[in-house]
Amino acid sequence: MSPPRVETVLIVDDSLVQRLHMVGLLRQCGIHGILEAVDGIQALELLAGLDTLPHLIVVDLEMPGMDGVEFILQMMKRNVMAPLVISSNRDLSLICSVENMAQALGIPILAAWKKPLTKQHLAEILHHSPDRPPPSPSAPETHKEASSTGAHELALAISRHQLLPYYQPQIDLKSGTITGVEVLARWPHAEKGFIPPDHFIPLAEKHRLIHDLTLEIAGQAFARAAHWRRSGVHLTVAVNLSPRLLDLPDFVSEVDALLQQYQLPAEQVIWEVTESSLAADLGIALANLARLRLKGFGLSIDDYGTGFSSMQQLSRIPFTELKIDRSFVHRAHQREHLRVILQSALDMAHKMSLVTVAEGIETLEDWKLLREFGCNLAQGYFIAKPMPGETFTGWVKTQNTRRHGRRGS
Ligand code: G
Ligand code: G
Ligand code: MN
């Protein structure tokens, strides 16, 4: 095993016993550059006197001088972007909410655990620490580059078929078989590398290009699905649908024409709609959704749990599927409050006869929990990242062996 890349760690905890416990664990993991502070104030003083930041800061939440939350806010104010681990005795929902707060502030946060930390926890954190770049400091650069990529270039790229559908598999949690794919648009730019969808989708929506983009991506995906179908592989194809398109009176006939062109049954296509996106222009949107459903398309409520008035959306749109947002899925096995939300969402969906899909299955634990909870389908990095069509065909062939592994796990 290679030596850990983490060499110095700052422990911020008022309890001597806890600090000693942490020091012991760190030494067992081969880390000897250990600094200690009894609260936020002392930690900030210590950090101010250092030439280089520690590789990791392990912080308690409840401390008499300056508590952990205030310490994180102060780190942010001083632009101290050292990776953080929260470790506290308080309940997990509080710990997670502080984790979310740190994330929102752009502080790289590696883990948030209830005490006591074990050697296994620590090894996991150390294993992941070099792989995870701090989310916020690196983000502006991509964004700056991307933001110089304008609407005109996007329009050109769409018309030249340079935008590509990538495919992420969805797996039946009971049988381990592949049932379908989600189609995710990618823009490989000749000079700038991949432009992130978080940039070009809003750009397309703003400049009325989303209609062309969606038909282009859907067209390519339908062609691919029709090809798979001819070779005996029947997979559902889920396409993300921007709410802007639901305002267009011709949209339904257009996608219908695409289906005819590729000889694909509507039952094989699912439109993913985010729940928050439907708030405005309800009349015509509802009409279009009803028409899509009448034609036989599937309708999926995407990122379930993150939008507004989800119950209301569920009650008035003829959905066939519910996709639970990854923020409720990943790590739910460690988090009681997430499990409760997850289970109630699944119960409700099944009572409404909806197919349930869990997004963001990243680990075996995520997989096992969702299977135990009776979720129907799984999607996430644990199975595969989104990939180009050519790669996908090869990937499907390698799956027979892995499938048995998963079923038994
Ligand atoms: O694929 P992920 O890699 O990063 O996608 C980021 C976001 O972009 C997701 O919310 C996804 O739904 C959205 N997205 C990806 N492809 C499309 C698309 O073809 N149409 C629309 N409307 N959204 C898409
Ligand atoms: O918003 P929507 O659900 O349409 O988009 C799915 C997004 O989730 C895409 O950006 C896709 O690349 C991403 N994604 C897929 N699997 C995982 C996963 O296991 N973990 C994380 N963090 N993101 C994932
Ligand atoms: Mn989606």
Side-chain angles (χ1 to χ4, degrees):
M1 217 173 78
S2 55
R5 273 179 252 189
V6 172
E7 284 162 11
T8 50
V9 176
L10 168 62
I11 307 166
V12 191
D13 200 313
D14 59 312
S15 150
L16 175 65
V17 176
Q18 295 289 346
R19 288 202 307 276
L20 285 176
H21 171 68
M22 232 7 250
V23 169
L25 289 182
L26 287 165
R27 292 214 169 117
Q28 284 179 44
C29 292
I31 294 167
H32 298 281
I34 302 170
L35 302 163
E36 295 176 49
V38 298
D39 68 0
I41 298 172
Q42 206 179 58
L44 289 171
E45 281 170 8
L46 209 151
L47 287 168
L50 294 177
D51 290 333
T52 48
L53 289 177
H55 293 116
L56 196 69
I57 300 179
V58 182
V59 65
D60 182 23
L61 289 183
E62 226 172 351
M63 292 175 288
M66 179 191 285
D67 65 55
V69 176
E70 175 67 15
F71 172 66
I72 294 171
L73 291 173
Q74 290 296 331
M75 278 178 68
M76 169 68 201
K77 221 166 143 188
R78 290 155 207 232
N79 209 19
V80 177
M81 291 297 179
L84 208 67
V85 171
I86 298 169
S87 153
S88 161
N89 264 325
R90 299 300 298 264
D91 55 298
L92 257 177
S93 68
L94 174 60
I95 297 175
C96 293
S97 108
V98 178
E99 179 185 25
N100 291 338
M101 172 205 88
Q103 257 157 4
L105 293 174
I107 306 246
I109 180 135
L110 297 183
W113 299 99
K114 194 169 164 64
K115 281 177 181 172
L117 248 77
T118 62
K119 191 177 166 196
Q120 195 189 350
H121 287 143
L122 194 62
E124 195 180 310
I125 292 162
L126 295 176
H127 177 72
H128 282 297
S129 57
D131 296 337
R132 287 195 195 174
S136 142
S138 61
E141 260 174 40
T142 348
H143 193 69
K144 217 195 292 161
E145 176 124 52
S147 61
S148 65
T149 317
H152 178 64
E153 234 182 323
L154 177 58
L156 219 58
I158 296 170
S159 68
R160 292 178 176 164
H161 312 291
Q162 287 165 350
L163 262 71
L164 302 175
Y166 269 41
Y167 302 89
Q168 190 177 33
Q170 298 179 329
I171 309 276
D172 184 300
L173 275 152
K174 254 195 209 149
S175 66
T177 47
I178 308 166
T179 59
V181 290
E182 176 173 1
V183 178
L184 293 151
R186 293 292 180 262
W187 182 6
H189 190 284
E191 285 114 46
K192 295 171 185 166
F194 278 86
I195 312 282
D198 293 345
H199 172 69
F200 69 78
I201 297 291
L203 189 69
E205 285 175 337
K206 190 169 157 208
H207 296 275
R208 297 173 182 270
L209 296 168
I210 191 69
H211 175 252
D212 290 353
L213 185 152
T214 305
L215 290 184
E216 168 67 19
I217 291 293
Q220 289 189 48
F222 290 1
R224 180 75 66 179
H227 175 75
W228 289 332
R229 196 179 159 83
R230 284 193 298 274
S231 60
V233 181
H234 293 221
L235 297 176
T236 58
V237 178
V239 182
N240 289 285
L241 192 54
S242 162
R244 303 289 162 93
L245 294 175
L246 293 173
D247 292 344
L248 305 177
D250 291 335
F251 182 72
V252 179
S253 348
E254 284 169 345
V255 291
D256 209 27
L258 266 188
L259 280 189
Q260 306 298 330
Q261 187 182 338
Y262 295 106
Q263 296 288 300
L264 210 60
E267 287 70 21
Q268 221 174 308
V269 176
I270 299 165
W271 298 102
E272 293 194 5
V273 190
T274 51
E275 44 171 341
S276 55
S277 61
L278 282 175
D281 296 317
L282 211 58
I284 187 132
L286 289 180
N288 271 328
L289 287 165
R291 286 186 64 208
L292 286 171
R293 189 69 203 103
L294 281 172
K295 298 251 180 220
F297 292 102
L299 288 181
S300 178
I301 183 163
D302 201 1
D303 303 332
Y304 181 77
T306 61
F308 307 102
S309 62
S310 27
M311 303 277 182
Q312 197 179 27
Q313 306 282 16
L314 269 176
S315 68
R316 62 186 172 193
I317 296 167
F319 285 112
T320 54
E321 179 182 277
L322 182 140
K323 286 190 87 171
I324 300 180
D325 190 68
R326 60 173 183 259
S327 57
F328 300 102
V329 172
H330 180 47
R331 294 211 181 148
H333 61 101
Q334 293 160 344
R335 289 161 190 197
E336 165 77 17
H337 67 294
L338 292 186
R339 284 199 298 277
V340 174
I341 295 173
L342 202 55
Q343 231 166 352
S344 350
L346 289 169
D347 278 354
M348 180 195 64
H350 290 153
K351 280 183 184 136
M352 296 173 82
S353 305
L354 301 176
V355 173
T356 47
V357 186
E359 302 182 311
I361 301 272
E362 292 191 16
T363 61
L364 180 62
E365 285 84 3
D366 296 341
W367 170 277
K368 281 182 176 165
L369 183 81
L370 270 295
R371 190 180 52 185
E372 184 192 317
F373 280 3
C375 182
N376 302 124
L377 305 178
Q379 184 184 338
Y381 297 162
F382 177 65
I383 301 141
K385 291 197 167 172
M387 59 191 119
E390 311 82 67
T391 317
F392 187 82
T393 312
W395 182 86
V396 172
K397 290 189 187 132
T398 64
Q399 284 310 293
N400 281 341
T401 30
R402 277 199 70 197
R403 190 169 91 206
H404 297 294
R406 262 195 225 107
R407 196 173 0 190
S409 46

Short mmCIF file of all heavy atoms in Angstrom, two decimals, residues 139-154 163 185-187 189 192-207 209-210 213:
data_model
loop_
_atom_site.label_atom_id
_atom_site.label_comp_id
_atom_site.label_asym_id
_atom_site.label_seq_id
_atom_site.Cartn_x
_atom_site.Cartn_y
_atom_site.Cartn_z
N ALA A 139 -14.18 25.23 -8.85
CA ALA A 139 -15.35 25.41 -9.72
C ALA A 139 -15.32 26.70 -10.57
O ALA A 139 -15.60 26.63 -11.75
CB ALA A 139 -16.62 25.36 -8.89
N PRO A 140 -14.94 27.85 -9.99
CA PRO A 140 -15.02 29.06 -10.80
C PRO A 140 -14.22 28.98 -12.10
O PRO A 140 -14.64 29.53 -13.10
CB PRO A 140 -14.44 30.14 -9.87
CG PRO A 140 -14.62 29.61 -8.50
CD PRO A 140 -14.50 28.11 -8.63
N GLU A 141 -13.10 28.28 -12.10
CA GLU A 141 -12.28 28.24 -13.30
C GLU A 141 -12.98 27.59 -14.49
O GLU A 141 -13.03 28.17 -15.57
CB GLU A 141 -10.99 27.48 -13.03
CG GLU A 141 -9.85 28.46 -12.79
CD GLU A 141 -8.62 27.76 -12.37
OE1 GLU A 141 -8.34 26.68 -12.92
OE2 GLU A 141 -7.93 28.28 -11.49
N THR A 142 -13.55 26.39 -14.23
CA THR A 142 -14.30 25.73 -15.29
C THR A 142 -15.38 26.67 -15.77
O THR A 142 -15.63 26.81 -16.95
CB THR A 142 -15.04 24.48 -14.74
OG1 THR A 142 -14.55 24.20 -13.46
CG2 THR A 142 -14.98 23.35 -15.70
N HIS A 143 -16.00 27.31 -14.76
CA HIS A 143 -17.14 28.14 -15.08
C HIS A 143 -16.72 29.33 -15.96
O HIS A 143 -17.38 29.66 -16.93
CB HIS A 143 -17.79 28.63 -13.79
CG HIS A 143 -19.13 29.21 -14.04
ND1 HIS A 143 -20.19 28.43 -14.42
CD2 HIS A 143 -19.57 30.48 -14.05
CE1 HIS A 143 -21.23 29.20 -14.61
NE2 HIS A 143 -20.88 30.45 -14.40
N LYS A 144 -15.57 29.93 -15.61
CA LYS A 144 -15.10 31.09 -16.35
C LYS A 144 -14.88 30.68 -17.80
O LYS A 144 -15.32 31.33 -18.73
CB LYS A 144 -13.77 31.56 -15.75
CG LYS A 144 -13.66 33.09 -15.75
CD LYS A 144 -12.24 33.53 -15.52
CE LYS A 144 -11.73 33.24 -14.13
NZ LYS A 144 -10.31 33.24 -13.99
N GLU A 145 -14.22 29.55 -17.96
CA GLU A 145 -13.94 29.05 -19.30
C GLU A 145 -15.24 28.78 -20.04
O GLU A 145 -15.44 29.20 -21.17
CB GLU A 145 -13.14 27.76 -19.19
CG GLU A 145 -12.87 27.10 -20.49
CD GLU A 145 -11.40 26.90 -20.70
OE1 GLU A 145 -10.73 26.35 -19.81
OE2 GLU A 145 -10.92 27.32 -21.76
N ALA A 146 -16.14 28.08 -19.30
CA ALA A 146 -17.39 27.70 -19.93
C ALA A 146 -18.23 28.92 -20.30
O ALA A 146 -18.87 28.95 -21.33
CB ALA A 146 -18.18 26.79 -19.00
N SER A 147 -18.19 29.93 -19.43
CA SER A 147 -19.08 31.05 -19.67
C SER A 147 -18.66 31.86 -20.90
O SER A 147 -19.44 32.64 -21.42
CB SER A 147 -19.17 31.95 -18.45
OG SER A 147 -17.90 32.47 -18.18
N SER A 148 -17.44 31.64 -21.37
CA SER A 148 -17.06 32.32 -22.61
C SER A 148 -17.57 31.55 -23.83
O SER A 148 -17.43 31.97 -24.96
CB SER A 148 -15.54 32.49 -22.67
OG SER A 148 -14.94 31.23 -22.75
N THR A 149 -18.12 30.36 -23.55
CA THR A 149 -18.69 29.59 -24.65
C THR A 149 -20.14 30.02 -24.81
O THR A 149 -20.97 29.71 -23.99
CB THR A 149 -18.63 28.08 -24.31
OG1 THR A 149 -17.38 27.83 -23.72
CG2 THR A 149 -18.81 27.25 -25.53
N GLY A 150 -20.42 30.72 -25.89
CA GLY A 150 -21.70 31.40 -25.97
C GLY A 150 -22.78 30.64 -26.71
O GLY A 150 -22.59 29.51 -27.17
N ALA A 151 -23.92 31.30 -26.80
CA ALA A 151 -25.10 30.70 -27.42
C ALA A 151 -24.87 30.39 -28.90
O ALA A 151 -25.33 29.36 -29.39
CB ALA A 151 -26.28 31.65 -27.25
N HIS A 152 -24.12 31.26 -29.56
CA HIS A 152 -23.91 31.06 -30.99
C HIS A 152 -23.14 29.76 -31.24
O HIS A 152 -23.51 28.95 -32.10
CB HIS A 152 -23.14 32.25 -31.55
CG HIS A 152 -22.82 32.11 -33.01
ND1 HIS A 152 -23.81 32.06 -33.97
CD2 HIS A 152 -21.64 31.95 -33.67
CE1 HIS A 152 -23.25 31.91 -35.16
NE2 HIS A 152 -21.93 31.83 -35.00
N GLU A 153 -22.10 29.57 -30.42
CA GLU A 153 -21.30 28.35 -30.54
C GLU A 153 -22.13 27.10 -30.25
O GLU A 153 -21.98 26.07 -30.89
CB GLU A 153 -20.16 28.43 -29.53
CG GLU A 153 -18.81 28.22 -30.17
CD GLU A 153 -17.70 28.26 -29.14
OE1 GLU A 153 -17.78 29.07 -28.18
OE2 GLU A 153 -16.75 27.48 -29.30
N LEU A 154 -23.01 27.25 -29.26
CA LEU A 154 -23.87 26.11 -28.90
C LEU A 154 -24.82 25.79 -30.07
O LEU A 154 -24.97 24.61 -30.43
CB LEU A 154 -24.67 26.42 -27.62
CG LEU A 154 -25.66 25.36 -27.16
CD1 LEU A 154 -24.98 24.02 -26.92
CD2 LEU A 154 -26.40 25.80 -25.90
N LEU A 163 -23.15 17.69 -30.18
CA LEU A 163 -23.60 17.29 -28.85
C LEU A 163 -23.95 15.81 -28.89
O LEU A 163 -24.55 15.34 -29.87
CB LEU A 163 -24.84 18.10 -28.44
CG LEU A 163 -24.48 19.29 -27.54
CD1 LEU A 163 -23.77 20.36 -28.32
CD2 LEU A 163 -25.70 19.85 -26.87
N ALA A 185 -26.96 14.61 -21.92
CA ALA A 185 -26.29 15.33 -23.02
C ALA A 185 -24.86 15.69 -22.64
O ALA A 185 -24.59 16.08 -21.50
CB ALA A 185 -27.08 16.59 -23.35
N ARG A 186 -23.94 15.53 -23.58
CA ARG A 186 -22.54 15.92 -23.37
C ARG A 186 -22.09 16.78 -24.54
O ARG A 186 -22.49 16.55 -25.68
CB ARG A 186 -21.63 14.68 -23.28
CG ARG A 186 -21.88 13.83 -22.04
CD ARG A 186 -21.45 14.57 -20.77
NE ARG A 186 -21.65 13.80 -19.56
CZ ARG A 186 -22.70 13.94 -18.75
NH1 ARG A 186 -23.68 14.78 -19.05
NH2 ARG A 186 -22.81 13.23 -17.64
N TRP A 187 -21.24 17.77 -24.23
CA TRP A 187 -20.71 18.64 -25.28
C TRP A 187 -19.18 18.62 -25.25
O TRP A 187 -18.56 19.37 -24.52
CB TRP A 187 -21.23 20.07 -25.08
CG TRP A 187 -20.78 21.03 -26.15
CD1 TRP A 187 -20.08 20.76 -27.29
CD2 TRP A 187 -21.01 22.45 -26.15
NE1 TRP A 187 -19.86 21.90 -28.02
CE2 TRP A 187 -20.43 22.97 -27.33
CE3 TRP A 187 -21.63 23.34 -25.26
CZ2 TRP A 187 -20.46 24.32 -27.65
CZ3 TRP A 187 -21.67 24.68 -25.58
CH2 TRP A 187 -21.09 25.17 -26.77
N HIS A 189 -16.00 19.81 -26.48
CA HIS A 189 -15.60 21.00 -27.24
C HIS A 189 -14.17 20.81 -27.71
O HIS A 189 -13.31 20.37 -26.94
CB HIS A 189 -15.72 22.22 -26.32
CG HIS A 189 -15.56 23.53 -27.03
ND1 HIS A 189 -14.34 24.00 -27.44
CD2 HIS A 189 -16.48 24.47 -27.38
CE1 HIS A 189 -14.51 25.17 -28.02
NE2 HIS A 189 -15.80 25.48 -28.00
N LYS A 192 -11.96 23.33 -25.57
CA LYS A 192 -12.18 23.55 -24.14
C LYS A 192 -12.51 22.28 -23.37
O LYS A 192 -12.87 22.33 -22.20
CB LYS A 192 -13.29 24.57 -23.94
CG LYS A 192 -12.88 25.93 -24.48
CD LYS A 192 -14.04 26.88 -24.50
CE LYS A 192 -13.61 28.19 -25.16
NZ LYS A 192 -14.74 29.03 -25.52
N GLY A 193 -12.41 21.14 -24.03
CA GLY A 193 -12.77 19.89 -23.34
C GLY A 193 -14.28 19.81 -23.20
O GLY A 193 -15.02 20.47 -23.93
N PHE A 194 -14.73 19.04 -22.22
CA PHE A 194 -16.17 18.88 -22.03
C PHE A 194 -16.76 20.11 -21.36
O PHE A 194 -16.34 20.48 -20.27
CB PHE A 194 -16.47 17.64 -21.19
CG PHE A 194 -16.44 16.38 -22.00
CD1 PHE A 194 -15.24 15.71 -22.23
CD2 PHE A 194 -17.60 15.87 -22.56
CE1 PHE A 194 -15.20 14.55 -22.99
CE2 PHE A 194 -17.58 14.71 -23.32
CZ PHE A 194 -16.38 14.05 -23.54
N ILE A 195 -17.74 20.72 -21.99
CA ILE A 195 -18.46 21.83 -21.35
C ILE A 195 -19.53 21.19 -20.47
O ILE A 195 -20.28 20.34 -20.93
CB ILE A 195 -19.17 22.71 -22.41
CG1 ILE A 195 -18.24 23.07 -23.56
CG2 ILE A 195 -19.80 23.93 -21.77
CD1 ILE A 195 -17.25 24.14 -23.30
N PRO A 196 -19.58 21.57 -19.18
CA PRO A 196 -20.55 20.90 -18.30
C PRO A 196 -22.01 21.21 -18.65
O PRO A 196 -22.31 22.35 -19.03
CB PRO A 196 -20.20 21.45 -16.91
CG PRO A 196 -19.29 22.59 -17.11
CD PRO A 196 -18.75 22.55 -18.49
N PRO A 197 -22.89 20.23 -18.54
CA PRO A 197 -24.32 20.46 -18.82
C PRO A 197 -24.89 21.58 -17.96
O PRO A 197 -25.80 22.28 -18.38
CB PRO A 197 -24.99 19.13 -18.48
CG PRO A 197 -23.92 18.15 -18.22
CD PRO A 197 -22.61 18.84 -18.15
N ASP A 198 -24.35 21.72 -16.74
CA ASP A 198 -24.85 22.80 -15.87
C ASP A 198 -24.62 24.16 -16.50
O ASP A 198 -25.23 25.15 -16.11
CB ASP A 198 -24.16 22.75 -14.51
CG ASP A 198 -24.56 21.51 -13.74
OD1 ASP A 198 -25.56 20.88 -14.16
OD2 ASP A 198 -23.88 21.15 -12.77
N HIS A 199 -23.72 24.24 -17.47
CA HIS A 199 -23.54 25.48 -18.20
C HIS A 199 -24.41 25.53 -19.46
O HIS A 199 -25.15 26.47 -19.69
CB HIS A 199 -22.07 25.67 -18.58
CG HIS A 199 -21.85 26.84 -19.50
ND1 HIS A 199 -22.02 28.14 -19.08
CD2 HIS A 199 -21.54 26.90 -20.81
CE1 HIS A 199 -21.80 28.97 -20.10
NE2 HIS A 199 -21.51 28.23 -21.16
N PHE A 200 -24.33 24.47 -20.29
CA PHE A 200 -24.98 24.62 -21.59
C PHE A 200 -26.49 24.37 -21.57
O PHE A 200 -27.20 24.87 -22.45
CB PHE A 200 -24.28 23.79 -22.68
CG PHE A 200 -24.38 22.30 -22.59
CD1 PHE A 200 -25.54 21.64 -22.99
CD2 PHE A 200 -23.31 21.55 -22.13
CE1 PHE A 200 -25.62 20.26 -22.93
CE2 PHE A 200 -23.39 20.17 -22.07
CZ PHE A 200 -24.55 19.52 -22.46
N ILE A 201 -27.00 23.64 -20.58
CA ILE A 201 -28.46 23.47 -20.53
C ILE A 201 -29.15 24.81 -20.20
O ILE A 201 -30.04 25.24 -20.95
CB ILE A 201 -28.87 22.34 -19.53
CG1 ILE A 201 -28.33 20.98 -19.99
CG2 ILE A 201 -30.39 22.29 -19.35
CD1 ILE A 201 -28.94 20.39 -21.24
N PRO A 202 -28.71 25.50 -19.12
CA PRO A 202 -29.32 26.82 -18.88
C PRO A 202 -29.11 27.79 -20.05
O PRO A 202 -30.01 28.57 -20.37
CB PRO A 202 -28.59 27.34 -17.63
CG PRO A 202 -28.06 26.11 -16.96
CD PRO A 202 -27.77 25.13 -18.04
N LEU A 203 -27.94 27.70 -20.69
CA LEU A 203 -27.67 28.56 -21.86
C LEU A 203 -28.69 28.27 -22.97
O LEU A 203 -29.26 29.17 -23.58
CB LEU A 203 -26.25 28.28 -22.35
CG LEU A 203 -25.67 29.21 -23.42
CD1 LEU A 203 -25.41 30.59 -22.84
CD2 LEU A 203 -24.35 28.62 -23.97
N ALA A 204 -28.90 26.98 -23.20
CA ALA A 204 -29.86 26.58 -24.23
C ALA A 204 -31.27 27.04 -23.87
O ALA A 204 -32.03 27.49 -24.73
CB ALA A 204 -29.82 25.06 -24.41
N GLU A 205 -31.60 26.96 -22.58
CA GLU A 205 -32.95 27.36 -22.16
C GLU A 205 -33.13 28.86 -22.36
O GLU A 205 -34.16 29.32 -22.85
CB GLU A 205 -33.18 26.98 -20.70
CG GLU A 205 -33.43 25.48 -20.54
CD GLU A 205 -33.54 25.04 -19.08
OE1 GLU A 205 -33.03 25.74 -18.19
OE2 GLU A 205 -34.14 23.96 -18.85
N LYS A 206 -32.08 29.61 -22.03
CA LYS A 206 -32.16 31.06 -22.10
C LYS A 206 -32.26 31.54 -23.56
O LYS A 206 -32.95 32.50 -23.85
CB LYS A 206 -30.90 31.63 -21.44
CG LYS A 206 -30.95 33.11 -21.22
CD LYS A 206 -29.81 33.57 -20.32
CE LYS A 206 -29.53 35.04 -20.57
NZ LYS A 206 -28.14 35.38 -20.29
N HIS A 207 -31.55 30.88 -24.45
CA HIS A 207 -31.49 31.35 -25.84
C HIS A 207 -32.36 30.55 -26.80
O HIS A 207 -32.09 30.49 -27.99
CB HIS A 207 -30.04 31.37 -26.32
CG HIS A 207 -29.19 32.35 -25.56
ND1 HIS A 207 -29.12 33.68 -25.89
CD2 HIS A 207 -28.42 32.20 -24.46
CE1 HIS A 207 -28.33 34.31 -25.03
NE2 HIS A 207 -27.89 33.43 -24.15
N LEU A 209 -32.66 27.51 -27.40
CA LEU A 209 -32.02 26.43 -28.16
C LEU A 209 -32.37 25.06 -27.57
O LEU A 209 -32.00 24.03 -28.12
CB LEU A 209 -30.49 26.59 -28.12
CG LEU A 209 -29.94 27.84 -28.81
CD1 LEU A 209 -28.48 28.04 -28.45
CD2 LEU A 209 -30.12 27.71 -30.32
N ILE A 210 -33.10 25.07 -26.46
CA ILE A 210 -33.35 23.80 -25.76
C ILE A 210 -34.22 22.86 -26.60
O ILE A 210 -34.08 21.64 -26.53
CB ILE A 210 -33.95 24.05 -24.35
CG1 ILE A 210 -33.95 22.76 -23.52
CG2 ILE A 210 -35.35 24.64 -24.41
CD1 ILE A 210 -32.58 22.28 -23.11
N LEU A 213 -31.88 21.31 -29.08
CA LEU A 213 -30.97 20.44 -28.34
C LEU A 213 -31.66 19.13 -27.97
O LEU A 213 -31.14 18.04 -28.18
CB LEU A 213 -30.47 21.17 -27.09
CG LEU A 213 -29.40 20.47 -26.23
CD1 LEU A 213 -28.55 21.52 -25.49
CD2 LEU A 213 -29.97 19.50 -25.21
#
